[in-house]
Each structure stands twice: as C-alpha cells, then as structure tokens.
Amino acid sequence: MHDTVVRCSSLAQLRGLVALMRPKQWIKNGFVLGPLVFSGEFLDVGAIGCALSAALLFCLASSASYIVNDIRDIERDRRHPRKSQTRPLAAGVISVQIALALLFAIYGALIWGWFAAPDAALVIVCYMLLNLAYTFVLKHQPVVDIFTIAIGFVLRVYAGATALAVPVSAWMFVTTLCLALYLAAVKRRQELIQSGAEGRKVLEKYSVSLIERYAEMSATAALVFYGMFVMSAKPQLVITVPLVLFGLFRYWYVVEELDSGESPTDSLLADWQLLLTIVLWVGACCWALWPVRG
C-alpha cells in the first residue's frame, strides 16, 4: 500500500510540474511564427526550423516567468478561491524547492539556446527581464501592467523576425501591440468582474467601464492598423480582413455572453468557432502569400 501511495504522489508531482509550466499558455508563442508566415518563407525547411527553435525557447522562457511569478505570489494565491486549487504551489502539490529546481533546469536549457540562436535569445532575455519587472513591480501599476503584457507579445513577433533575419513591417508591430492590449484589457475586465480586487491588487485602481473603453479602443485600433498593413504592404491579404473582424466579434461574444476571457488561452481552446477562425486565417494568409516560382 505504501508503494501505491508513493507512486500516486510521484504522479501527482509530475502533473504538478507540468501544470507549473502552464503548457496551455504556450499557444501565445504562436506569435513568434508570424514573421515566418508574412515573410513567405513558410516553405523553407531551414526557416521553419529557425522559427520553431525560437518559439520553443520562448515557451521555456514563458514557463520560467510563470514559475517565478507563482513563487512570488504563493501566499496570495493560497487565499484565492480558484488559484488555491489550480496553482500547484498554492495547492501544495509542488514544494518551492522542487519548483526552484525546475526553474534552474529551464534556465540551463535557455543558456544552451543562447548559443544555438543568439539573435533570438537576446530578445528572449529582454522578455524575461520585462517579466521579472512585471512580477515584482509593474503588475501593481495601473495601465503600465496592461502595456507590459502587450509588449511581451510584440517581443514574440520581434524574436520570430530576428530568428529569420527578415524585416517586419511597422504596421505589424503596431497591430500586434493593439491586439495584445485588447486581450490584456479583456483579461483585466473579467478578473475584476469575477474576483474583484481580491484577485489582483491593481484591480482596485480600475473600473469595469474604464477597462471596457480600453478594450474597445484597442480592438478598433488593431483592426484599423491591420487594414492599413494589408493595404500598404500585403494587399493580397485583403481576403483575411473579414476573418479578423469575425474573430474580434466572436471573442467579445465569448467574453460577454459566456462569461469567459479571464484566460484568453482558455477562451480560445474552449470555443470551436474561434479555433476555426484562426485556422482559416492562417490558411488564407499562406494561400495569399504562397511563393510563386518563376
């Protein structure tokens, strides 16, 4: 019986380690692959390898940032009704010592990644430093916290471009920033509605109406800048504009009517229409940008 308990405990710890890295959140690192699509190099095996390597390093970097954040907020998470059950450290499934061991192992892998892809690794270091500042200082500053999250997405796009050594349109950077601001604002709105100021101290400085105005302005700007990017740099992508519009509309519907949005990743994975929209958008982009061989 003792062996069974040990095996169950080990299995629970293994699941806890996986949960600690938050692999579902890795879907955000799909932004790293954006330059691969928009540069038209998605048929080049070497380019695909470089882009995937950068995305993998970003997955490790984001997991390291989540671990640092969970260690920093362990006591606060224990008082949270949901996080006390879902966060492995707060729930007591994983000890701080084990979490630190995993963190240093990830740092070791990232050091190796520095030599494998030094250009992209430099951007990743900037991302990790930004997240450290967010964990200890910036997430307590209203407005700054939302922009910090958004800049992380811009760095993902920049890392993908750096890995491929391709230029990225300024419109693409601005569009990414606005889209990320929209997602971050909606996330804060849902946290404020569902958990109030107990979820995050910074939520005391916000109101639902204020955050909704932030979200609406960011979504509108994202659509405008995407349209300008398409018309000025990639007119063949005009077929994707309706998909972008539908995606924004659908996401807001999921948030408003289905009471989701506190985690953009969970909202995406739980709604088949959003998933299908993204698949169709990627497919339409690849079809429109398919290299023509002379």
Side-chain angles (χ1 to χ4, degrees):
M1 179 177 292
H2 176 71
D3 291 340
T4 303
V5 172
V6 171
R7 284 197 296 272
C8 291
S9 176
S10 299
L11 181 60
Q13 286 197 344
L14 179 59
R15 290 175 176 170
L17 286 173
V18 174
L20 191 63
M21 297 177 68
R22 301 191 205 176
K24 285 203 301 184
Q25 302 299 325
W26 290 352
I27 194 171
K28 298 175 183 176
N29 298 316
F31 279 80
V32 177
L33 305 179
L36 177 68
V37 174
F38 288 108
S39 65
E41 296 192 15
F42 47 83
L43 296 181
D44 186 294
V45 176
I48 294 174
C50 290
L52 289 177
S53 296
L56 174 60
L57 291 175
F58 241 105
C59 289
L60 293 175
S62 58
S63 290
S65 298
Y66 289 134
I67 294 172
V68 172
N69 182 77
D70 285 359
I71 293 174
R72 174 70 172 80
D73 290 347
I74 184 171
E75 294 301 327
R76 189 177 186 88
D77 289 346
R78 283 172 177 166
R79 298 191 295 269
H80 191 278
R82 183 179 58 83
K83 294 179 181 178
S84 61
Q85 303 297 320
T86 59
R87 298 284 171 88
L89 283 172
V93 177
I94 297 295
S95 68
V96 174
Q97 291 77 12
I98 293 177
L100 286 172
L102 176 60
L103 178 63
F104 287 122
I106 292 174
Y107 282 154
L110 289 171
I111 291 173
W112 173 84
W114 179 281
F115 296 100
D119 293 333
L122 183 59
V123 181
I124 292 171
V125 169
C126 293
Y127 168 82
M128 295 180 68
L129 291 175
L130 179 67
N131 274 274
L132 283 174
Y134 175 82
T135 296
F136 290 96
V137 179
L138 301 181
K139 71 178 181 180
H140 303 302
Q141 306 300 318
V143 182
V144 174
D145 66 318
I146 294 177
F147 269 82
T148 303
I149 295 172
I151 291 171
F153 284 89
V154 176
L155 288 175
R156 287 174 168 91
V157 173
Y158 186 55
T162 303
L164 298 176
V166 297
V168 178
S169 169
W171 294 119
M172 186 176 180
F173 279 123
V174 177
T175 301
T176 301
L177 176 64
C178 292
L179 177 60
L181 285 171
Y182 167 65
L183 296 175
V186 170
K187 176 179 172 66
R188 286 291 185 265
R189 174 190 183 274
Q190 294 306 97
E191 289 174 341
L192 185 58
I193 290 175
Q194 295 175 4
S195 304
E198 295 180 2
R200 295 180 186 272
K201 187 176 180 180
V202 73
L203 293 176
E204 298 174 355
K205 311 291 180 63
Y206 288 119
S207 67
V208 173
S209 61
L210 175 63
I211 296 179
E212 285 180 343
R213 289 198 295 273
Y214 287 163
E216 291 168 0
M217 182 171 62
S218 300
T220 302
L223 179 61
V224 169
F225 286 127
Y226 183 77
M228 295 177 74
F229 162 65
V230 168
M231 300 308 295
S232 64
K234 304 284 185 181
Q236 61 270 47
L237 289 177
V238 69
I239 60 173
T240 67
V241 173
L243 292 170
V244 173
L245 264 173
F246 179 83
L248 292 173
F249 276 49
R250 180 65 189 180
Y251 186 75
W252 193 254
Y253 172 81
V254 170
V255 169
E256 187 75 18
E257 299 300 326
L258 304 184
D259 200 26
S260 184
E262 185 171 347
S263 170
T265 302
D266 290 342
S267 300
L268 171 62
L269 295 177
D271 188 78
W272 69 268
Q273 292 191 37
L274 275 176
L275 278 172
L276 179 60
T277 301
I278 291 177
V279 170
L280 290 175
W281 177 79
V282 173
C285 287
C286 291
W287 179 81
L289 299 173
W290 197 272
V292 178
R293 303 295 182 183

